[in-house]
Amino acid sequence: MKKARWLSLVTLASVLLLAACGDKSQEEVIEELDETLQTMSGYQTEATMTMQTGQEPRQYDVEIAHMQNEENRYYRVELQNEDEEQNQMILRNDEGVFLLTPALNKSFRFQSDWPNNNSQIYLYESLIGDILTDTEREFAVEEDRYVFETNTNYQNQNLHQQEIVLNSDDLSPHAVRVFDEDYNTLVEVVFESFTLNETLEREEFDMDANMESGEEGEEPTAVEEEEEGATTFDVFMPSHEPANTELAESEEVETDVGKRVILTYEGDQPFTIIQQPASISAASGTSPTELGYGEPEVLGDVVGVMSEETLTWTSGGIEFIIASDSMESEEMSAIAESMTSSSAK
């Protein structure tokens, strides 16, 4: 059941404010949001996203470009963590959905309806959709902003409720906070700038062009500095393990890029973790790796790709794969977010 933490007093205050200040009613705001959703051609925005879903808070700078027409919808979502050596980009164009890591000259293409499958906390049209479709939404006025509390449709089922804050002058997004069932904030997005119906071109969503632009100004990564004969790295272990499942075997094998560590877990939800140095694709313009069906998955400090039986991501110069034919995607994400260097334990 939805918690009504500010419903009674704030709703009464909202009615008084609406009458005194001439603010729009909830019905008027809903009607305007619906019109915006139907008529907008796109937008550009910059935001800061803070995630509390891992062991420590993780903060991203997020830049988003979106363009839509009668034929297709185009997206470029660039995420940069201040502690990471590489930026990543989620791209959607006529050719499909891509995850780009320009510093490694790597790109993955997968079949996906993203971002239509689930709510997306950093996409304006997704937030509008959550407001419009929740018949139990709550509405309040706080100073010069409108506040909606709605149900969620996120892939992570721990994200129960969300608070969407819009600027009252133009209904642009101001902030979003997503809570667990105890109303602890798990994810927060603060929008620093927002321009509706910005003029964009299809070329801005081209994979090759974005790979090249993403490489400009990149600092050498740990992989680049050690790619000649890099054979060692700290082994990472998950602090989260499914119930009645534990580590059964740890194996190290040598490969062309260094050692590969294989951790095998057995029990009620068996799975395997593979980790090895992330190699850099040698040639510029390398064709993307085809992954079949998948979804981009934000994992605390990086973006990975979730397929039916695997979760793949790269962090700190290490490539990780979790594989299981019996585990839910949410459990895979929890394991990935809990990975910690064994030397730090």
Side-chain angles (χ1 to χ4, degrees):
M1 180 180 295
K2 180 183 294 187
K3 288 190 176 181
R5 56 194 179 100
W6 36 242
L7 298 187
S8 56
L9 293 178
V10 173
T11 300
L12 176 60
S14 299
V15 173
L16 297 176
L17 282 169
L18 288 170
C21 304
D23 286 308
K24 298 181 179 71
S25 66
Q26 178 180 180
E27 290 74 18
E28 290 173 322
V29 174
I30 292 297
E31 182 177 352
E32 189 170 333
L33 286 174
D34 187 37
E35 182 179 357
T36 297
L37 187 64
Q38 299 301 323
T39 61
M40 74 175 180
S41 60
Y43 58 83
Q44 284 189 299
T45 183
E46 295 182 358
T48 300
M49 179 169 65
T50 304
M51 303 188 68
Q52 305 276 359
T53 55
Q55 294 179 329
E56 298 179 355
R58 298 287 186 176
Q59 184 168 297
Y60 291 91
D61 292 326
V62 186
E63 295 184 10
I64 301 167
H66 169 53
M67 182 181 76
Q68 64 183 45
N69 53 39
E70 295 180 357
E71 300 176 355
N72 210 337
R73 301 167 71 189
Y74 305 85
Y75 291 91
R76 186 180 70 240
V77 179
E78 186 170 0
L79 300 102
Q80 175 71 56
N81 183 289
E82 60 182 8
D83 297 327
E84 285 295 304
E85 299 170 328
Q86 63 195 35
N87 68 321
Q88 291 182 288
M89 192 180 302
I90 304 172
L91 196 69
R92 175 172 174 166
N93 58 29
D94 292 327
E95 283 72 47
V97 178
F98 300 81
L99 176 61
L100 311 182
T101 307
L104 299 178
N105 197 30
K106 285 192 174 181
S107 58
F108 298 93
R109 175 165 55 193
F110 39 95
Q111 301 169 7
S112 175
D113 289 332
W114 182 91
N116 303 327
N117 301 343
N118 302 101
S119 299
Q120 308 294 335
I121 190 172
Y122 43 75
L123 297 184
Y124 182 48
E125 67 281 13
S126 179
L127 299 175
I128 294 178
D130 287 346
I131 293 172
L132 297 180
T133 57
D134 185 2
T135 58
E136 298 180 351
R137 61 181 174 261
E138 302 297 343
F139 174 75
V141 178
E142 295 181 359
E143 297 181 353
D144 57 349
R145 299 187 177 101
Y146 298 126
V147 183
F148 285 93
E149 184 171 336
T150 78
N151 292 315
T152 65
N153 183 35
Y154 295 104
Q155 185 171 349
N156 186 339
Q157 298 303 308
N158 292 324
L159 306 178
H160 282 260
Q161 295 291 131
Q162 66 184 349
E163 181 182 82
I164 302 171
V165 184
L166 305 176
N167 296 308
S168 60
D169 57 345
D170 58 2
L171 302 187
S172 61
H174 173 74
V176 186
R177 285 175 283 274
V178 186
F179 312 101
D180 63 14
E181 59 183 352
D182 297 319
Y183 266 82
N184 300 307
T185 302
L186 295 183
V187 186
E188 180 177 22
V189 174
V190 177
F191 292 88
E192 310 293 344
S193 65
F194 183 86
T195 305
L196 188 65
N197 296 329
E198 185 81 347
T199 300
L200 299 170
E201 302 295 335
R202 289 191 183 187
E203 288 74 16
E204 298 184 48
F205 304 90
D206 178 75
M207 189 206 75
D208 291 334
N210 280 285
M211 285 291 287
E212 293 174 2
S213 64
E215 291 171 351
E216 296 177 2
E218 290 283 357
E219 295 294 329
T221 67
V223 180
E224 290 174 306
E225 293 171 352
E226 301 179 10
E227 63 179 335
E228 292 296 331
T231 59
T232 63
F233 59 88
D234 289 338
V235 176
F236 283 69
M237 306 285 291
S239 59
H240 171 79
E241 297 177 0
N244 303 316
T245 304
E246 61 183 15
L247 180 65
E249 183 181 2
S250 176
E251 180 185 5
E252 291 188 12
V253 297
E254 289 298 324
T255 72
D256 292 341
V257 296
K259 74 176 179 180
R260 174 183 297 154
V261 178
I262 304 172
L263 306 176
T264 303
Y265 287 75
E266 296 180 353
D268 290 351
Q269 298 187 67
F271 64 96
T272 300
I273 300 175
I274 301 171
Q275 49 194 295
Q276 64 184 20
S279 60
I280 301 175
S281 296
S284 177
T286 301
S287 298
T289 301
E290 300 288 347
L291 293 181
Y293 181 80
E295 292 289 325
E297 181 80 4
V298 178
L299 300 170
D301 58 356
V302 295
V303 182
V305 178
M306 180 78 72
S307 65
E308 185 175 355
E309 296 183 355
T310 64
L311 174 58
T312 304
W313 76 100
T314 301
S315 178
I318 307 299
E319 182 180 78
F320 297 88
I321 300 174
I322 296 178
S324 175
D325 59 4
S326 61
M327 187 178 295
E328 297 292 332
S329 59
E330 186 175 334
E331 191 74 66
M332 281 193 185
S333 296
I335 294 171
E337 292 179 357
S338 75
M339 295 290 287
T340 304
S341 171
S342 57
S343 66
K345 295 186 176 183

